């Protein structure tokens, strides 16, 4: 950021708090600013690399269409791939990717649903991939784009569409946050894999675990910086608050050894939900590893949920 942009934010600060502000600003840049590459995966998941790239190769070769929202507004453009099923169907899954990922990083899940006979719509969220945006909004603004994607699916596939929302990590939280909005009847069910309870709670947790920093004053300062640039505070970004308004069946999936989004957040999200719900904790899986740990069991669990609730 240019110094002239930062200066107005510094005016109210005393010399004693200026250091805290600059630390918080650097953390905001680190966590919220877009990157145009996918960071390396964790050491625990490196062993799945060959399988991952086979899925990516499949996704690059399968017939697809490129869809765009806000094409005439470069600063708001959002891009997605629509992959039709092999046989005509009214069933479509909308797949939300994780933090600093893109639609390509969801290739394994897209292939799973493709094999189950679904169409798939796979967006790049704001601040990721081919979509615009200087900052990552952790699903809060993305949820509004997904409302538009839902309508695009209905327009393309038909009024008799049946839509499943699915996401992993930040994408799981995005699905959870969408759940609190007014959704059309074509949306039938939700699956959220390792989504956080709120971005405030997640940031506070990572401040302690990764940076050994206290919540105060860093989190309130980061929240204020985020409000300045993105128009909302971190208190607004809550899966649990949105899930309390949800009325659709939802399957929560979480790794029991997740140290990035701790498993207690899955229980928080589960307790916040009053709709039909299931929770599957994969005891030995780390963050976003549940599919890779046992793909057959993952597909079986998803299939069983859909047989019960995707009607």
């Amino acid at each position: 950021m240019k110094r002239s942009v930062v200066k107005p934010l510094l005016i109210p600060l005393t010399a004693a708090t200026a250091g805290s502000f600059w630390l918080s600003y650097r953390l905001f840049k680190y966590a919220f600013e877009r990157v145009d590459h996918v960071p390396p995966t964790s050491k625990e998941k490196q062993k799945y690399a060959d399988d991952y790239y086979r899925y990516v190769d499949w996704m690059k070769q399968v017939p697809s269409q490129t869809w765009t929202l806000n094409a005439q507004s470069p600063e708001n453009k959002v891009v997605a791939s629509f992959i039709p099923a092999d046989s005509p169907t009214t069933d479509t899954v909308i797949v939300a990717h994780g933090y600093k990922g893109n639609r390509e990083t969801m290739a394994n899940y897209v292939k799973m649903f493709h094999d189950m006979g679904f169409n798939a719509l796979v967006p790049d969220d704001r601040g990721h991939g081919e979509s615009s945006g200087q900052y990552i909004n952790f699903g809060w603004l993305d949820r509004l784009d997904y409302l538009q994607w839902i309508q695009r699916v209905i327009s393309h596939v038909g009024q008799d569409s049946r839509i499943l929302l699915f996401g992993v990590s930040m994408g799981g939280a995005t699905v959870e946050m969408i759940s609190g909005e007014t959704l059309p009847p074509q949306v039938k069910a939700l699956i959220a894999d390792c989504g956080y309870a709120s971005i405030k709670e997640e940031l506070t947790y990572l401040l302690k675990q990764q940076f050994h920093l206290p919540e105060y004053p860093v989190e309130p300062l980061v929240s204020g910086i985020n409000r300045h640039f993105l128009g909302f505070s971190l208190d607004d970004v809550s899966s649990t608050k949105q899930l309390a308004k949800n009325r659709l069946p939802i399957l929560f999936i979480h790794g029991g050894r997740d140290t990035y989004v701790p498993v207690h957040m899955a229980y928080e999200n589960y307790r916040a939900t009053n709709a039909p719900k299931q929770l599957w904790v994969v005891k030995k899986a780390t963050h976003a590893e549940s599919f890779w740990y046992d793909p057959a069991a993952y597909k079986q669990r998803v299939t069983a949920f859909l047989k019960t609730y995707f009607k």
Side-chain angles (χ1 to χ4, degrees):
M1 181 190 303
K2 295 180 180 178
R3 185 177 299 273
S4 60
V5 178
V6 177
K7 189 175 180 180
L9 294 174
L10 283 172
I11 292 173
L13 301 179
T14 66
T17 58
S20 295
F21 173 84
W22 278 109
L23 172 62
S24 301
Y25 171 66
R26 288 174 64 86
L27 285 168
F28 170 80
K29 292 268 288 182
Y30 172 80
F32 288 75
E33 194 166 54
R34 78 174 292 149
V35 294
D36 290 314
H37 66 277
V38 177
T41 190
S42 64
K43 292 181 180 180
E44 296 89 348
K45 295 198 287 293
Q46 290 289 345
K47 58 181 176 282
Y48 308 120
D50 290 343
D51 289 335
Y52 168 78
Y53 284 109
R54 277 193 287 269
Y55 284 117
V56 170
D57 289 341
W58 169 85
M59 189 167 167
K60 289 179 178 179
Q61 295 169 13
V62 71
S64 66
Q65 305 165 15
T66 300
W67 291 7
T68 305
L69 296 177
N70 311 316
Q72 304 306 315
S73 177
E75 68 275 13
N76 293 305
K77 185 181 76 171
V78 188
V79 179
S81 293
F82 179 80
I83 300 172
D86 288 335
S87 300
T89 181
T90 58
D91 294 348
T92 303
V93 59
I94 301 178
V95 179
H97 65 74
Y99 174 66
K100 293 187 178 179
N102 56 39
R103 59 195 195 272
E104 183 179 280
T105 62
M106 303 302 286
N108 55 309
Y109 304 102
V110 175
K111 179 66 162 59
M112 178 185 73
F113 285 111
H114 186 81
D115 291 346
M116 295 164 65
F118 280 79
N119 305 312
L121 181 68
V122 199
D124 281 342
D125 289 347
R126 291 173 181 257
H128 297 82
E130 293 184 57
S131 294
S132 64
Q134 185 178 352
Y135 298 107
I136 298 167
N137 66 81
F138 289 89
W140 188 240
L141 301 180
D142 296 318
R143 84 192 196 285
L144 304 178
D145 293 328
Y146 279 83
L147 296 179
Q148 295 187 64
W149 287 129
I150 290 167
Q151 292 300 327
R152 283 287 300 272
V153 168
I154 295 170
S155 297
H156 182 80
V157 177
Q159 290 296 318
D160 57 347
S161 291
R162 301 193 308 171
I163 297 173
L164 169 69
L165 303 182
F166 173 89
V168 178
S169 190
M170 185 184 78
T174 302
V175 167
E176 292 161 353
M177 287 184 271
I178 297 167
S179 76
E181 303 302 317
T182 300
L183 297 172
Q186 287 86 353
V187 181
K188 303 298 183 182
L190 318 166
I191 301 176
D193 186 333
C194 61
Y196 38 78
S198 71
I199 193 57
K200 178 179 179 179
E201 184 177 348
E202 175 67 9
L203 177 62
T204 300
Y205 169 79
L206 293 177
L207 282 174
K208 295 178 181 178
Q209 294 294 316
Q210 294 189 1
F211 301 102
H212 308 291
L213 293 171
E215 175 181 355
Y216 185 83
V218 178
E219 187 278 328
L221 286 170
V222 171
S223 182
I225 295 167
N226 189 76
R227 187 186 305 110
H228 176 80
F229 288 104
L230 292 175
F232 60 88
S233 71
L234 300 190
D235 288 329
D236 296 327
V237 189
S238 172
S239 297
T240 53
K241 290 178 182 177
Q242 291 290 92
L243 286 164
K245 298 182 285 183
N246 172 49
R247 295 297 176 264
L248 291 173
I250 183 167
L251 169 62
F252 298 100
I253 301 172
H254 216 100
R257 294 182 177 176
D258 194 334
T259 58
Y260 189 74
V261 178
V263 69
H264 71 78
M265 292 192 186
Y267 290 99
E268 287 182 55
N269 289 333
Y270 182 84
R271 288 192 298 268
T273 304
N274 296 314
K277 56 188 177 181
Q278 295 179 3
L279 171 61
W280 181 37
V281 176
V282 183
K283 293 183 179 180
K284 294 184 179 180
T286 60
H287 183 66
E289 191 189 14
S290 295
F291 172 92
W292 299 106
Y293 185 77
D294 192 337
Y298 195 98
K299 183 176 181 179
Q300 183 179 23
R301 190 69 181 228
V302 168
T303 300
F305 171 77
L306 295 178
K307 284 182 177 178
T308 302
Y309 292 114
F310 194 69
K311 299 179 180 177

